[in-house]
Amino acid sequence: MSAEISEEIHEKLVIRPKYLKEDALRLVSKLRPHWKPEDVEIKEFTDGITNQLVGCCSVNDRKDVILIRVYGKNTELFIDRQKEIRNLKLMHRHGLSPPVFCVFSNGLAYGFSEGKVIDLNMVRDAKISNYIATMLTRMHFISASNEWETSQGKLEPCCFKMIRRYLDLINDNIMDAPDARLSSYLKNASLIEDLTQEVDWLESHLQKCGSPLVFCHNDLLLKNIVYNEEKSSVCFIDFEYADINYQAFDIANHFCEFAGVTDFQPDLYPSEEFQLQWLRNYLTAWDHITFSSKSAGDSNTNGCDKDLFEERVKKLQQQVSKFSLASHLLWGIWALLQTRHSSIDFDYRGYAMARLGEYYKNKDHILPSNHTLTNSSSL
């Protein structure tokens, strides 16, 4: 079967949101011409809050599943779709994601990752959380390869560039009456003015934190992690926001997602004990990849004793805690932007207020105004 389709389809094909299944069938007929239309099953997924997604397969071969994603309204304003395609192809070359079958004018078709999307309970399971830490290590390690240096150029963090781009796209009148959860924190008449100052302040602190730059997923919420019990593994999906970023941001962002999205519960942020064990798994996997071709000492400790390994774990945990603030700020501002542009039925305003509320509530505790950061790498 062919994994490519013609450039003509790439340029001309449009999947209309109101006729999602009909147009998806039209695309499938190009990708799998041997499938009979009457044998094609189409399932629409409704969990996404940015795009629309359907899965297609033939009743004669249910293991060959094509996912068709239709980009959300105006998402091209803040998502670089060309970079997303490059990232997907890069991940596929490293065996970390399914192939891309085609790109059309308002979306793409790609392979299916078999398994079950994890939930609030599964993400805390010791075995599954270890799989997640190990897979994230593998993704982060891509940036250490010569391939990334050659194809992508100089490594620069995307985090604060993303936040400022979102702020630039938000109309200053979007929040004429801020939520009560924020009103006590605000210093200026304009929420956007306050947020702009917060971005500058937070960046000035976190860029001194010493977190390495790696290839990050940047959106590792629970719905973007698929667990395959049969293979004893997990895989990640949806790389719209993937880019070079701070290592600690990607981990912190994942921890923040323990709270959920539709029903955001910040008290579900993982305990310090859980974080430390997760980070031990992560650094153990990092050391294993780094020294897999060598025979230098215990891979768990990078050739060092247990105390030095625990120091690395604790240092990374401190960095992750600080970068949780960046996660709240990023997705709170993102949600404000979505209130203006998205056509998906989701309470973006409520989610924005919840994430920004967590930022303001926690920032003085995590980064006191007189706090001094040291510039040291966690790896």
Side-chain angles (χ1 to χ4, degrees), residues 130-150:
N130 188 15
Y131 296 154
I132 294 170
T134 301
M135 180 58 71
L136 194 61
T137 305
R138 291 178 61 191
M139 182 174 180
H140 287 173
F141 209 79
I142 291 176
S143 54
S145 67
N146 292 330
E147 177 184 6
W148 178 274
E149 297 286 356
T150 301

Side-chain angles (χ1 to χ4, degrees), residues 287-288 290-305:
D287 289 350
H288 178 73
T290 303
F291 297 98
S292 60
S293 61
K294 303 177 182 179
S295 56
D298 183 354
S299 65
N300 284 351
T301 62
N302 193 10
C304 302
D305 62 30

Side-chain angles (χ1 to χ4, degrees), residues 206-223:
L206 296 187
Q207 66 185 0
K208 303 171 186 175
C209 196
S211 182
L213 296 179
V214 296
F215 182 51
C216 294
H217 187 284
N218 291 320
D219 188 24
L220 207 57
L221 48 80
L222 306 191
K223 297 296 184 182

